[in-house]
Amino acid sequence: MPTPPIARSRARNLPIVLALALLALALLGPASAFARGGGGGGGGGGGSRPQVRVAGSCGRGATSSLQLKARDGGIEAEFEVHGRTGLWRVAIVQEQRVAWRGRARTGGPSHSFSLGRRLGDYPGPDQVLARAVGPRGITCSAMATLPG
């Protein structure tokens, strides 16, 4: 029995629908990582601005995360990478400008590094991208937006 034309049309559109659904999840996923109430306890300046923590994307079994919080008129950014032992090239970009570029070495039994930097607090939301390229080309990146 031949396949009805409607079933063939649906089967042909399925890859497009799946691609659009995955794109929507990728774009909306980081927005769900906002954690409210990051301004409490010690140090001022953050007011009621939330603290933001997002998981990054990495290759070959590595993991990363980026945390942003308003504090004392600036932004504290902390980028963590757990991956292969060795030297990593790291860049932190704020509002499409390189805020810091340098190197970090993973060490210890956790094969990780944590890098903290203080950034300026611009009017409105602040978008920060952290990217690290490690041994054998492993790349990790994380992007977060701290609401204004």
Side-chain angles (χ1 to χ4, degrees), residues 1 8 16 26 30 37 59 67 69 74-75 81 85 87 95 123 148:
M1 176 171 187
R8 279 194 304 259
I16 295 169
Q67 180 176 341
K69 56 183 156 180
I75 296 174
V81 173
T85 299
L87 191 63
E95 297 300 325

Side-chain angles (χ1 to χ4, degrees), residues 30-92:
S32 66
F34 289 123
R36 297 276 172 204
S48 62
R49 289 181 77 184
Q51 173 178 318
V52 178
R53 184 176 186 93
V54 295
S57 62
C58 294
R60 300 189 205 148
T63 61
S64 66
S65 66
L66 175 63
Q67 180 176 341
L68 304 176
K69 56 183 156 180
R71 177 175 239 133
D72 299 328
I75 296 174
E76 289 182 2
E78 183 179 357
F79 183 49
E80 293 182 23
V81 173
H82 300 269
R84 188 176 297 270
T85 299
L87 191 63
W88 292 70
R89 294 184 326 260
V90 183
I92 297 179

Side-chain angles (χ1 to χ4, degrees), residues 2-146:
T3 307
I6 292 175
R8 279 194 304 259
S9 174
R10 285 183 183 158
R12 205 174 322 137
N13 291 335
L14 184 61
I16 295 169
V17 171
L18 286 174
L20 289 173
L22 289 173
L23 179 63
L25 284 173
L27 293 175
L28 296 176
S32 66
F34 289 123
R36 297 276 172 204
S48 62
R49 289 181 77 184
Q51 173 178 318
V52 178
R53 184 176 186 93
V54 295
S57 62
C58 294
R60 300 189 205 148
T63 61
S64 66
S65 66
L66 175 63
Q67 180 176 341
L68 304 176
K69 56 183 156 180
R71 177 175 239 133
D72 299 328
I75 296 174
E76 289 182 2
E78 183 179 357
F79 183 49
E80 293 182 23
V81 173
H82 300 269
R84 188 176 297 270
T85 299
L87 191 63
W88 292 70
R89 294 184 326 260
V90 183
I92 297 179
V93 177
Q94 181 183 18
E95 297 300 325
Q96 300 180 0
R97 293 185 184 123
V98 176
W100 184 84
R101 185 177 299 173
R103 296 175 187 260
R105 183 173 297 278
T106 54
S110 67
H111 305 290
S112 66
F113 69 84
S114 178
L115 180 71
R117 289 289 172 256
R118 185 160 173 83
L119 306 173
D121 189 0
Y122 300 122
D126 291 282
Q127 185 178 51
V128 176
L129 166 72
R131 185 169 190 263
V133 179
R136 298 186 186 166
I138 298 173
T139 301
C140 291
S141 63
M143 183 167 48
T145 301
L146 188 65

